[in-house]
Amino acid sequence: MPLGTLTTRAGWAAFVDQPPSSLDLLGDDERKHLTDAERDTYDQARHLHHSRLAVVATPTVNKVTKLGRRLMLLNRGQLSARRGLIVNGAGETGKTTAISQLGKHHEHLARRRRVAPGPFLPVVYVSVPPASTAKMLAAEIARFLDLPLPKSFNQVAITNAVCEVLHTMSTELVLVDEIHNLSLSTRPGAETSDQLKYLSERIPATFVYAGIDVEGAGLFSGLRGQQIASRFTVVATQSFAYGTSRQRAEWAALVATLEQVLRLHRHEPGTLLRHAEYLYRRTGGMIGSLSALIRDAAIEAIIDGSERITLDLLEAVELDRTAENQRSTTSKR
């Protein structure tokens, strides 16, 4: 099944069920005898492989998974005031990857432990819409559930329908991404915050939020913010550091892991590792930027027929604005 958006039930299921890529390179003789159509199919499979690449168990992913699992165990005996988790940091620091891996890990565990028959949906993943209202958030959950909503349904009706389905399907983990779209300084934002709190009281599940600079966005401001702060543990994501030998070793291990999964015919193993410092300066230590750089370069190496990632090719790849600004700043030093 093709991988879709995580904010639909089908897309989430495809993500959870997707096995690691096991694409093998053909030998030179086999590749030489491919027809044009066969070569195109082979190259398209490699494009898809590189577009996904590997998910690396970074310290952030491990920390969020470990803490999330512990909070879920803690919440099993709670009737109210359940504890939650907020993953907070700048863009491209692995927030979505961390919470989605927590969800994937938990769903695999929950499926193995499931003995009761009937419908089952251990994890729900939604994204807070821009300028969200309480009704919009409830509708997002309903959309994930493929729950048909009559136009006459108001916020209360949608919320009740969502809670009933999540109870029936034994949902244990609710992942809420883009939480920075919720502003407590506005009436709709405050009402959406109240909606999340209400849902967490009615649904016996652990709630995990992820967002950019949530404190600066005012998530912990005022009475509502104090309630959130008193119930949620915050894990800060950040770019990799490069100042100590241990930090440089961690970055090198990340680069080596990504290089190992490349499927290029003439790429020399260890090339990216030799350029680890360049890759750090180029991406500012942002894992999202590093992954995008390597994936983009690998796809281009297939398209142009070079089948290898070189420093010149890496230099030619244009990254996100943050990474390019970092590159410009570094080059002036």
Side-chain angles (χ1 to χ4, degrees), residues 225-269:
Q226 291 174 18
Q227 290 179 324
I228 295 172
S230 67
R231 294 187 182 184
F232 282 78
T233 300
V234 178
V235 172
T237 64
Q238 53 192 353
S239 60
F240 276 70
Y242 206 70
T244 68
S245 57
R246 179 177 178 180
Q247 290 166 347
R248 291 191 290 273
E250 288 178 346
W251 178 258
L254 171 61
V255 171
T257 299
L258 293 175
E259 185 167 32
Q260 286 171 4
V261 297
L262 293 176
R263 294 296 182 267
L264 300 172
H265 282 275
R266 290 192 287 274
H267 182 78
E268 182 183 347

Side-chain angles (χ1 to χ4, degrees), residues 167-196:
H167 266 284
T168 300
M169 304 191 79
S170 303
T171 299
E172 301 167 315
L173 180 63
V174 178
L175 305 174
V176 184
D177 209 347
E178 306 292 326
I179 197 69
H180 52 266
N181 284 334
L182 188 159
S183 173
L184 300 189
S185 63
T186 66
R187 180 176 177 180
E191 291 175 349
T192 306
S193 175
D194 291 342
Q195 173 80 311
L196 280 170

